[in-house]
Amino acid sequence: MDFTFLGTSAGTPTRSRNVSGLALCHSGPKPWYLVDCGEGTQHQLLRTRYSVMQLRAIFITHIHGDHTFGLPGLLTSASMLGRSEPLDIIAPVQVQRFIEAAIDNSDSSLSYPLNFIDSETPGFCWQDDHFQVSSVALSHRVDCHAYVFTERNLELQLLRDKLRQNGIEPGPGWGELQKGNDVTLEDGRLLRSEDYTRIQRVPRRVIVAGDNDNPELLTDSSDGTHVLIHEATYTRDVADRVGPWPQHSSAEQVARFAQQVRLPYLVMTHFSSRYQSGPGGAPHINQLAAEAMQHYRGQLFLARDFDTYRLEKDLSLSCLTSSTPT
Amino acid sequence: MDFTFLGTSAGTPTRSRNVSGLALCHSGPKPWYLVDCGEGTQHQLLRTRYSVMQLRAIFITHIHGDHTFGLPGLLTSASMLGRSEPLDIIAPVQVQRFIEAAIDNSDSSLSYPLNFIDSETPGFCWQDDHFQVSSVALSHRVDCHAYVFTERNLELQLLRDKLRQNGIEPGPGWGELQKGNDVTLEDGRLLRSEDYTRIQRVPRRVIVAGDNDNPELLTDSSDGTHVLIHEATYTRDVADRVGPWPQHSSAEQVARFAQQVRLPYLVMTHFSSRYQSGPGGAPHINQLAAEAMQHYRGQLFLARDFDTYRLEKDLSLSCLTSSTPT
């Protein structure tokens, strides 16, 4: 299960960080899923292995432009490439209005169906073969959600000894049982897959949160979650100076929460453009890491554009080499 | 008079070419003018000396997304930076609808007034201290215009000998006359600036054309024009294969026109993404230059992203070094 940051800057792009976008996939980039789509997301994708042709669904956390203004370009480019597969867009209704206005007022049309799903529907749940995706309401200036990606259809382990004990010899039936299908033997016996298989591991779960000034809203969902991707727009001193209006989190706030719920991995993103990576007078991005590490004893990462992370089946997370240094 | 290409790709961005955008200024980047604003224009600007804070006006040639989808992000980023100066947007009315829908559906507001001017108004003319800008209707799938930038308020040369012959001695009055102001002497004589000054040179003129399959529509405007910036989406063989529907020009077509009207400088842009700069199987971008040179004996340039051109007062055009090689 991989995810790649397409943008890690809050509000406006910088020379090294685009506005929000995250590509996620289960076992290779066909299909893949996009969370948020700031302006320039299609440009960032040109530098990754993800293609708009294999994009299965777009999840939008909230309506702010740094999370949505890349949609018209991405959608129409997919059309120019000849996409025909339907595309799900899970988003607030305003996003649908924005996309429709963009298409209507640019002489555009799409070569494929868009399937809009209102992210604010109570009890929202989306799924395909790879993931079940639920949402958690967050606290921001506008309605905003986290999306919880939980792996589905985990591989089954065949209980070979039990099969043999019951006189069922190896054959095509074993394969069907392992795929999760029930089997009727020639002698009429019905074998249930669930009786002869077991799931060997827990499903991997990643939360991708939108903008949010109250991480504790994720407490319930954190149970069984291995990775939390959450904004940390400011250090605490800057957050205090800026005041509560923007409704963002400080690094300290997110770190304290992650520690409290014992999350194994925390990846912070959506940094104010005031934080820079190079030398100079600007506050350094590492201040955010230093602050978070004072309050969190799990493994902490600061996202950079094009960083790809892999969550293995053994639930270990690693950051693969960034293809474009920031 | 400088102009910088922010995007030179048709329809969709490539790794080295963004979609359309051109920054233009008279004598330094304060103020400056933007022609077209494809997605990612604000990102490109971060790598130039142009700031959205000093942008005076945006001219949109037509409503297609590769010329407009960067507007919401650029406008809201200017607001986040605290811009207060009004901004003129010269564009078809659909662009106003698109921008308003983007703002309304993203919880955005602007810290400065937008002044929409319908580019399809007959007899359109815009001016400030530096430029007069008129438009020419082109031929494309949707209404499309070229913008003709003509320098205004050229520096005046004082006719010193004539002043002395008329008994007017050097003093503050000379300065006023040279600024174009009439002066009343102490003895009551009124001196008209136009009687004691002359303009030493012709005004520089650049045409920035939008998408267009009929360059001859620019014939009348080419008189007195020094530089034509025009799309050349395809070589002629590709244009023939694609057929007339997209309503773009081939390199041959534009070059023949530029030769016919004896334009000194032709800068081609808006290349189909099939043309590449590197080695490999794709048709090379130089095919467009080779084709054009067969039909045009003026000086030809193929635009690259971030190339900056300077049109001097002596009417010579040069391409300054590209800050980012393509």
Side-chain angles (χ1 to χ4, degrees), chain A residues 11-15 18 39-40 42-43 46-47 63-64 69-70 72-73 76-77 80 94 97-98 101-102 105-107 142, chain B residues 11-15 18 39-40 42-43 46-47 63-64 69-70 72-73 76-77 80 94 98 101-102 105-107 142:
Chain A
T12 55
T14 72
R15 283 183 62 143
N18 195 29
E39 181 183 356
Q42 66 162 328
H43 301 66
L46 296 174
R47 299 176 185 278
I63 63 171
H64 284 157
F69 284 167
T76 53
S77 287
M80 282 185 253
Q94 293 98 320
R97 288 186 208 129
F98 165 56
N105 290 296
S106 65
D107 182 46
V142 292
Chain B
T12 56
T14 71
R15 283 183 63 142
N18 195 29
E39 181 182 356
Q42 66 162 326
H43 301 65
L46 295 175
R47 299 178 186 275
I63 63 172
H64 284 156
F69 284 168
T76 53
S77 287
M80 282 184 252
Q94 293 98 319
F98 165 57
N105 290 296
S106 65
D107 183 45
V142 292

Side-chain angles (χ1 to χ4, degrees), chain B residues 1 26-27 151 155 201-204 310-316:
Chain B
M1 190 171 167
H26 182 265
S27 40
E151 197 180 11
E155 57 282 7
R201 59 184 182 89
V202 298
R204 290 171 283 184
R310 178 161 292 168
L311 178 59
E312 303 282 2
K313 289 180 184 172
D314 69 3
L315 307 178
S316 64

Side-chain angles (χ1 to χ4, degrees), chain A residues 215-226:
Chain A
E216 301 201 353
L217 291 168
L218 293 163
T219 304
D220 290 350
S221 306
S222 296
D223 195 30
T225 291
H226 309 102

Side-chain angles (χ1 to χ4, degrees), chain A residues 184-201:
Chain A
T184 305
L185 298 181
E186 288 185 4
D187 63 10
R189 271 193 294 170
L190 174 68
L191 308 182
R192 296 193 191 279
S193 173
E194 64 187 46
D195 294 336
Y196 291 98
T197 58
R198 68 171 176 198
I199 297 169
Q200 318 173 68
R201 59 182 182 91

Side-chain angles (χ1 to χ4, degrees), chain B residues 150-167:
Chain B
T150 308
E151 197 180 11
R152 287 190 69 216
N153 294 327
L154 273 65
E155 57 282 7
L156 299 175
Q157 186 181 35
L158 211 52
L159 303 176
R160 292 160 191 269
D161 290 348
K162 184 175 175 184
L163 283 161
R164 287 210 178 83
Q165 281 159 17
N166 291 351

